[in-house]
Amino acid sequence: REQPYYIPAKIELINTKNLRVTSGKYVMDDLLSLEKDYTDLLNEFGKNSNTAFAMQKLANLLAFKLHRLGDSQKLLEETIKIPGIKPGLLASCKLDLGDISLLNNKPWDATLLYSQVEMDYPNTSIGQDARFRNAKLAYYTGDFTWAKGQLNVLKAATSELIANDALNLSLLISDNTTADSLGAALKMYARADLMIFAEEPGKALMTLDSIDRKYPGNSLADDILMARA
């Protein structure tokens, strides 16, 4: 306990268990056991700059696996207020809090958090990530014109991963708003995409299956198949 690597070792042990559980098939008891491990760690060592990374991991577990958005939001709000937290971790937690706000149907709160990180970290990969999340927020909420404007800038991002993601999303919007300028079918597809992001596959599949019934002859057939897969 007295050694400097004790806390990081405990955190990484739980993170490894997290990866093992969530990358394969799991049951609710596995998730609750993980939650208990993180909670026991925070009870033992407190919520501080040394355990902030574990708080972020727990918040993501609560949001995306246990679907307890309120608990996740509260924990992330505590995390970003911790004195001495590393700047990169602080920015990452703000982006996660933006994601939770989006899932909580609070897009204005989400865009404020994304924009804050983008302004605080200009011309960096995390700043570009924040801008991409803002563009995706616009896509999820059906504001395709604004989303495409942001994505066109991001296609030249220094991060190859973000540049590729921006290109793919820009093409999706272009391809499916040519014949249908209002993008009605694409708005429905974007809602399903948000459900996939929220790890709610059942709801996503129901929405995807409804697109062809509501908008027969739409241009999303290949994208729907890929999303279903």
Side-chain angles (χ1 to χ4, degrees):
R1 287 181 56 89
E2 293 74 26
Q3 299 302 316
Y5 295 116
Y6 183 74
I7 295 177
K10 291 268 287 195
I11 292 173
E12 287 306 325
L13 182 62
I14 300 171
N15 288 341
T16 303
K17 180 179 176 181
N18 189 334
L19 281 171
R20 183 177 60 81
V21 168
T22 58
S23 62
K25 290 184 178 179
Y26 54 82
V27 295
M28 181 58 70
D29 284 347
D30 295 326
L31 300 177
L32 295 176
S33 173
L34 260 179
E35 181 191 6
K36 184 178 184 303
D37 287 342
Y38 280 119
T39 303
D40 288 346
L41 177 89
L42 295 174
N43 287 338
E44 183 178 359
F45 300 108
K47 295 174 180 176
N48 52 61
S49 57
N50 290 323
T51 58
F53 186 72
M55 293 170 71
Q56 183 190 28
K57 290 285 188 183
L58 175 56
N60 277 286
L61 178 73
L62 291 170
F64 293 99
K65 301 298 182 186
L66 295 169
H67 303 294
R68 285 156 46 192
L69 296 177
D71 291 341
S72 176
Q73 179 179 332
K74 182 180 176 184
L75 187 58
L76 284 168
E77 286 172 345
E78 282 184 71
T79 309
I80 63 176
K81 292 176 183 174
I82 291 173
I85 186 172
K86 292 179 180 177
L89 180 57
L90 175 62
S92 180
C93 287
K94 284 184 177 181
L95 292 182
D96 287 351
L97 185 56
D99 290 345
I100 305 309
S101 298
L102 173 61
L103 297 181
N104 259 328
N105 202 27
K106 296 178 179 176
W108 286 111
D109 291 347
T111 196
L112 281 172
L113 285 157
Y114 297 152
S115 300
Q116 191 178 97
V117 173
E118 185 185 347
M119 287 188 292
D120 288 345
Y121 299 87
N123 304 314
T124 65
S125 59
I126 200 160
Q128 290 171 345
D129 186 7
R131 189 170 197 160
F132 181 64
R133 294 193 201 203
N134 244 335
K136 285 206 83 171
L137 184 152
Y139 155 71
Y140 288 139
T141 54
D143 189 352
F144 300 132
T145 303
W146 194 88
K148 202 164 182 308
Q150 297 299 301
L151 293 167
N152 287 339
V153 174
L154 284 167
K155 284 190 285 188
T158 51
S159 165
E160 188 176 339
L161 185 63
I162 290 174
N164 287 340
D165 287 345
L167 175 61
N168 289 333
L169 186 54
S170 179
L171 286 172
L172 175 71
I173 293 171
S174 296
D175 291 347
N176 296 287
T177 51
T178 304
D180 176 12
S181 59
L182 295 176
L186 184 59
K187 286 178 183 177
M188 198 166 181
Y189 178 85
R191 287 201 299 275
D193 215 355
L194 180 58
M195 292 167 192
I196 293 171
F197 173 64
E199 298 196 24
E200 294 184 330
K203 291 181 181 179
L205 284 168
M206 286 176 63
T207 305
L208 289 167
D209 289 344
S210 300
I211 296 173
D212 282 336
R213 291 198 297 271
K214 191 166 185 180
Y215 303 104
N218 67 79
S219 54
L220 282 157
D222 292 346
D223 300 293
I224 291 170
L225 282 172
M226 184 63 77
R228 282 184 58 85

